Amino acid sequence: MHDTSTGSTGQPARPARRTVLTASAGLTAALAVGGRAHAAASAAPDDAKLRALVSRMTLEEKVGQLFVMRVYGHSATAPDQADIDANLKEIGVRTAAELIARYRVGGIIYFTWAHNTRDPRQITDLSNGIQRASLEQPRGLPVLVTTDQEHGIVCRVGRPATLFPGAMAVGAGGSPADARTLGRLSGAELRAMGINQDYSPDADVNVNPANPVIGVRSFGADPDAVASLVAAEVAGYQGSRVAATAKHFPGHGDTAVDSHYGFPVITHSRELWEKLDAVPFRAAIRAGIDSIMTAHIQFPALDDSGDPATLSHPIVTGILRGELGYDGVVVTDSLGMEGVRTKYGDDRVPVLALKAGVDQLLNPPSLDVAWNAVLSAVRGGELTEARLDESILRILRLKTRLGLFDGPYADPAALDRTVGTPAHRAAADRIADRTTTLLVNRERLLPLSRRTHRRILVVGADPASPTGTDGPPTGVLAAALTELGFSATARSTGITPSAAAIDAAVAAAGDADAVVVGTYNVSAGSSQRTLVERLVATGRPVVAVAIRNPYDVARLPTVPAFLAAYAWTDTELRAAARVVAGRVRPRGRLPVPVQRADDPTAVLYPLGYGLTY
């Protein structure tokens, strides 16, 4: 059995434009806006033609257009047997092609764990297979192929695609030009692989150090700085014909609860929301953002019903549509998250979301339950077909702006000259070199000298590596320092180092000239603190590198030198190594304030703080 999206040579059987028009049953002819695909992306969609198209759709087809769904497998038609089994269990279909044929979904979301993203050529073949399966249906439409490519700690497409620093690192760099470059280059690579909608950038203003779900995914705590970087990244992505998505409206930056597992409550006043949370979303809208994602959070100052924002008519229609004037696509966060399932059943959530004013229903736990619930709500009169038509029109406008009616297929010949090129990787390194933040440097310990500190022991936390990175972090740091002329060895001690692991690290430090220790979300009772204190007590020079939240520095008062890398991807760790070695001077500035560990009301390191040499 072979993937019918490939020919005998292994190259996708990419149809000519005439074939695409035929496969869509006259659809694109009715929608022709003229010009090449990139010109179509900037052209205003012809609403009369789009409305005519909507009028010819069946009710079942309309319902399907509202859903963006996961599917297992590397191929649209011939996934591995394990993925077929997973699809049958969760969705009741065998393949992506069967999913599209049965439910006529308007979008597909890629995940690493769903085995959608093995390598660029496979991703391209999958994307083309999905488009072909949809266009071959009666009145077939191109598909929005989506993913979460935030960079940093959330990335679905890994190497050899270019991996850039994450949002908080970019916030430390403080350069809108860098954010725009990131969006432009990442967008070009995604588009080359047939991915045309990215659920990025994160527009949340992270003002809560205990935030377990946003944190370093945010550009920072200053709403104006976040707004500037959000707008720049949006311009970059959309300039590369990839729909950007600002998330999570109305703002998920001040919570200590993860909405994947609980139901957060934001206690900001309406006045504070206007000054803080709303600012980046307003900037995204001014920048022409293609889509905005809702948050599964309670925000009583904006809606006191107790409903999550995703299901809130006052928030989605009243504020986002009415007050902020946004008429683009609104997509829910995943409907499988507990934050949206706490109050209502899975059959009610999609109906209530549409009643609130959203357009796209993302990744319900059971597509069959959700799809039939919407269908029944229309047939029973709770939802009108006209309400569905409003959302479908927005979705079709987006597909038109992206040029998907003129050119739905990715060109495999473009992969090698676009994805993971030396120029793109060099750009990622240049951006990363502007992000590493030096917070402590007692007695000018840094940079380390190869003459006096040649032997380096690298210890610390080794969380599972983000998609497509080498990992573990201690190994990446040690390899990078060795490449820079040191003799570095790695010893993983873990996120919760045991007494035996700490003793072994301390013993190994005796043979080193300096120690680099990676820290990861150090808490008050964390044994990572004991590890650092024991290493400092050896008298060896110790450099701590926070590989996630910069707040770790408040828990490590004795460490002689402290760097914030903001993530444990190869790109950011190697940039930190260049700073340790003095190849690059630290230029990052804190995009969030760091409070004292013993008094959270007092600031230890203010917003914008950062040392250099």
Side-chain angles (χ1 to χ4, degrees), residues 140-174:
L141 293 167
V143 175
L144 286 169
V145 179
T146 75
T147 199
D148 293 284
Q149 192 79 347
E150 296 178 16
H151 292 282
I153 69 171
V154 177
C155 243
R156 309 304 186 201
V157 181
R159 290 187 312 151
T162 306
L163 299 178
F164 290 86
M168 191 170 284
V170 174

Side-chain angles (χ1 to χ4, degrees), residues 181-478:
T181 297
L182 185 158
R184 176 174 58 84
L185 299 183
S186 177
E189 295 197 11
L190 292 175
R191 184 72 188 216
M193 293 179 279
I195 298 170
N196 47 55
Q197 184 175 13
D198 188 13
Y199 296 137
S200 187
D202 192 303
D204 300 311
V205 183
N206 197 81
V207 294
N208 190 336
N211 195 324
V213 64
I214 305 301
V216 295
R217 297 168 62 195
S218 161
F219 287 110
D222 179 338
D224 293 327
V226 172
S228 176
L229 296 170
V230 164
E233 192 170 302
V234 167
Y237 273 111
Q238 295 187 179
S240 291
R241 295 187 303 143
V242 168
T245 307
K247 60 187 185 185
H248 308 79
F249 189 82
H252 208 318
D254 188 8
T255 173
V257 175
D258 186 340
S259 51
H260 290 84
Y261 310 108
F263 192 10
V265 180
I266 306 295
T267 58
H268 293 180
S269 67
R270 173 63 190 249
E271 181 182 19
L272 181 58
W273 177 80
E274 292 278 3
K275 293 179 179 178
L276 187 77
D277 306 282
V279 176
F281 289 101
R282 291 185 187 275
I285 292 168
R286 287 194 300 270
I289 187 81
D290 277 330
S291 54
I292 291 177
M293 179 180 287
T294 62
H296 303 325
I297 55 174
Q298 286 188 66
F299 211 125
L302 306 183
D303 178 2
D304 61 4
S305 69
D307 285 345
T310 296
L311 309 183
S312 168
H313 190 275
I315 291 175
V316 177
T317 296
I319 296 175
L320 181 56
R321 299 277 192 216
E323 296 179 24
L324 272 60
Y326 180 65
D327 194 38
V329 170
V330 176
V331 56
T332 71
D333 206 341
S334 170
L335 298 184
M337 294 166 59
E338 284 304 313
V340 79
R341 302 174 75 189
T342 299
K343 191 173 178 181
Y344 301 100
D346 291 338
D347 58 335
R348 294 299 299 155
V349 166
V351 175
L352 294 173
L354 291 169
K355 292 177 75 171
V358 305
D359 303 305
Q360 288 182 308
L361 303 165
L362 178 60
N363 200 28
S366 169
L367 179 58
D368 192 63
V369 167
W371 189 90
N372 279 294
V374 174
L375 189 66
S376 297
V378 177
R379 288 175 172 165
E382 184 179 7
L383 284 170
T384 66
E385 197 164 346
R387 168 66 193 87
L388 267 58
D389 291 352
E390 292 175 10
S391 288
I392 294 165
L393 185 61
R394 292 190 187 102
I395 293 166
L396 295 183
R397 285 174 184 153
L398 175 55
K399 292 180 179 182
T400 303
R401 284 198 304 275
L402 293 173
L404 295 180
F405 288 104
D406 283 339
Y409 295 98
D411 181 1
L415 288 176
D416 290 344
R417 65 174 182 265
T418 306
V419 178
T421 64
H424 287 189
R425 293 197 303 270
D429 285 342
R430 286 194 298 272
I431 293 171
D433 282 342
R434 291 187 274 271
T435 67
T436 308
T437 307
L438 178 63
L439 298 179
V440 179
N441 194 22
R442 295 190 179 95
E443 298 181 4
R444 296 186 178 180
L445 172 59
L446 291 177
L448 296 181
S449 166
R450 286 176 294 172
R451 293 189 301 275
T452 56
H453 302 100
R454 184 172 182 81
R455 295 172 301 169
I456 297 179
L457 173 67
V458 180
V459 301
D462 274 332
S465 293
T467 296
T469 58
D470 286 340
T474 53
V476 173
L477 278 169

Side-chain angles (χ1 to χ4, degrees), residues 61 63-68 103-108 142-145 360 395 399:
E61 290 166 359
V63 171
Q65 275 299 296
L66 304 174
F67 285 93
V68 180
Y103 292 103
R104 303 299 294 274
V105 294
I108 298 284
V143 175
L144 286 169
V145 179
Q360 288 182 308
I395 293 166
K399 292 180 179 182

